[in-house]
Amino acid sequence: MTREVDNNTYLKYLLHSLNVDDLKEICRNYNIRGYSRLKKAELIDFITDSLAEEEIADLIKKKELEIISNEIELAIKKINSEDREKIESIKIVNEKKHEVEILFKGFNWENTFFLSINPENIDNPLRDCDCRVGANMGFCSHFWVTFIFSLKQGYFKLSDWTLTNLPDDFEEKIKSIKITSPTTTGEKSSELSLIDKDSPHFKLLQHNRVTIYEGEITEIAEKESDFQGNITIYYLVTVKDAKMGPQLKKSSDKKEEDLFTVDKVLLRLSDNAYDKANVDVGDNITCNGGVDQDSFLGVMLKRVTKFKKLKS
């Protein structure tokens, strides 16, 4: 692989994924002095200015795959709705230039990433992000989500990618990730999405509401929320080996082929529902619930009804 971007610039791209402590550790490892009061951006410039060419090459060799692998793992978590941020929308801005814009949404923040990978710029694609890493041309997790989307869309081939090295298992990790609908210019952004069909929550996310027919409680946590002075008590209940299916109007419509098992699922219960059920860790339960992608807790069931303990 021959990278067109010079090592000094490329190292800066990589270092933006690290925190201040990581950067100071690099300074210590390479006997760089005078860094103690520097902020992150200053540290990155200080490191690249202080190192000799062979030291820069050595640092890239040592840190590149670690940094990239960590960001790719986080990207896959976003795709699988296992991260604090979720993919809110995907939009193809310009099909001809392969311009893609993805909106990521957290509890009270948003990040938008723009990426264009085409034959003219594949050596160093045009990109921009609202996050601190991506805003400095770094390879943030938002970059890798959009990279995966562009790859799945057929905008480029991995054999033509020379800007970064990739983990040996990269293709295997993303093999099950699919674009859920045809993506042509003019479609509504809400129609475009990435789904990992091997994700433990894939089948769960196909439904608005589900029924847990049986599952064992492994953890119960009492929580408290304060909204404008109003205190609400609720419970987070973790259930393992949850056998479930789509919630039906008639129990007679239940079909075995529609059922699936999720290794672990989180339920949010009202104080009233929890008290009525009188459950404890180790009990088997059944309930209905709405599938929700919580910004902090990931995929879970909310608006839980008919929660009760099964007879042993």
Side-chain angles (χ1 to χ4, degrees):
M1 184 189 82
T2 303
R3 184 185 302 112
E4 294 295 326
V5 175
D6 66 87
N7 278 354
N8 189 294
T9 300
Y10 182 63
L11 180 59
K12 287 183 179 180
Y13 293 166
L14 293 173
L15 294 183
H16 279 288
S17 288
L18 302 181
N19 59 37
V20 170
D21 289 340
D22 293 330
L23 295 171
K24 288 183 177 180
E25 180 67 22
I26 289 173
C27 290
R28 289 190 288 271
N29 290 341
Y30 285 87
N31 297 314
I32 300 172
R33 297 182 179 181
Y35 60 83
S36 60
R37 295 185 179 182
L38 298 180
K39 297 180 180 179
K40 181 175 178 177
E42 296 169 329
L43 271 170
I44 291 172
D45 288 338
F46 191 63
I47 289 170
T48 54
D49 290 343
S50 300
L51 295 178
E53 289 183 10
E54 59 270 20
E55 290 176 316
I56 288 176
D58 178 69
L59 183 53
I60 290 173
K61 184 178 180 180
K62 288 179 178 177
K63 302 297 289 186
E64 179 187 23
L65 280 179
E66 175 190 337
I67 290 170
I68 288 174
S69 295
N70 288 340
E71 295 287 9
I72 289 173
E73 288 295 331
L74 187 54
I76 292 174
K77 285 185 177 181
K78 293 185 192 302
I79 293 170
N80 291 342
S81 301
E82 296 171 353
D83 185 59
R84 293 176 61 194
E85 277 186 328
K86 65 178 181 179
I87 300 172
E88 182 71 10
S89 65
I90 301 175
K91 182 179 180 181
I92 297 175
V93 180
N94 187 313
E95 179 75 39
K96 186 176 181 180
K97 294 183 179 180
H98 301 170
E99 295 178 354
V100 178
E101 187 175 273
I102 299 185
L103 174 63
F104 299 85
K105 196 167 185 179
F107 177 68
N108 59 357
W109 73 90
E110 293 181 352
N111 282 307
T112 300
F113 191 89
F114 170 87
L115 178 66
S116 171
I117 302 181
N118 56 58
E120 286 72 38
N121 70 13
I122 194 168
D123 292 334
N124 193 13
L126 182 64
R127 57 192 184 275
D128 186 36
C129 189
D130 294 333
C131 79
R132 292 182 181 181
V133 176
N136 289 284
M137 299 288 282
F139 304 112
C140 57
S141 59
H142 309 114
F143 168 84
W144 291 110
V145 171
T146 318
F147 178 93
I148 291 168
F149 178 86
S150 298
L151 179 63
K152 295 291 182 177
Q153 187 68 7
Y155 287 161
F156 68 100
K157 297 178 180 179
L158 279 183
S159 57
D160 296 327
W161 180 251
T162 60
L163 180 56
T164 72
N165 280 303
L166 294 169
D168 291 338
D169 61 351
F170 177 73
E171 290 185 81
E172 183 65 27
K173 279 182 177 293
I174 68 167
K175 183 171 65 174
S176 59
I177 296 175
K178 309 293 182 185
I179 297 175
T180 58
S181 63
T183 52
T184 57
T185 305
E187 282 188 316
K188 295 180 180 179
S189 60
S190 60
E191 295 177 354
L192 313 181
S193 61
L194 282 172
I195 290 180
D196 185 349
K197 292 190 175 181
D198 282 351
S199 164
H201 290 124
F202 170 69
K203 290 185 178 179
L204 185 57
L205 287 166
Q206 306 312 300
H207 307 285
N208 291 322
R209 289 189 64 83
V210 294
T211 296
I212 295 180
Y213 292 99
E214 183 177 4
E216 181 184 338
I217 296 176
T218 60
E219 186 178 349
I220 299 172
E222 182 179 338
K223 299 291 182 178
E224 182 180 289
S225 67
D226 183 351
F227 180 70
Q228 296 181 346
N230 296 316
I231 305 298
T232 301
I233 303 297
Y234 64 95
Y235 291 84
L236 294 178
V237 178
T238 304
V239 176
K240 75 171 185 177
D241 300 330
K243 185 177 182 180
M244 61 178 69
Q247 184 176 333
L248 305 170
K249 292 183 178 179
K250 298 179 181 179
S251 58
S252 58
D253 292 335
K254 179 181 174 184
K255 298 177 181 178
E256 282 297 321
E257 59 265 31
D258 293 335
L259 304 184
F260 55 94
T261 300
V262 175
D263 293 340
K264 184 173 74 171
V265 64
L266 188 65
L267 283 59
R268 174 172 171 148
L269 289 177
S270 68
D271 187 24
N272 184 48
Y274 176 77
D275 287 341
K276 280 185 177 180
N278 190 28
V279 294
D280 204 348
V281 171
D283 289 338
N284 287 313
I285 59 92
T286 180
C287 68
N288 298 324
V291 181
D292 186 87
Q293 296 185 52
D294 187 88
S295 297
F296 286 102
L297 301 172
V299 179
M300 63 184 301
L301 298 188
K302 295 183 178 179
R303 304 177 299 283
V304 174
T305 60
K306 297 185 178 180
F307 180 82
K308 62 182 180 180
K309 179 166 56 177
L310 294 173
K311 295 180 180 179
S312 55

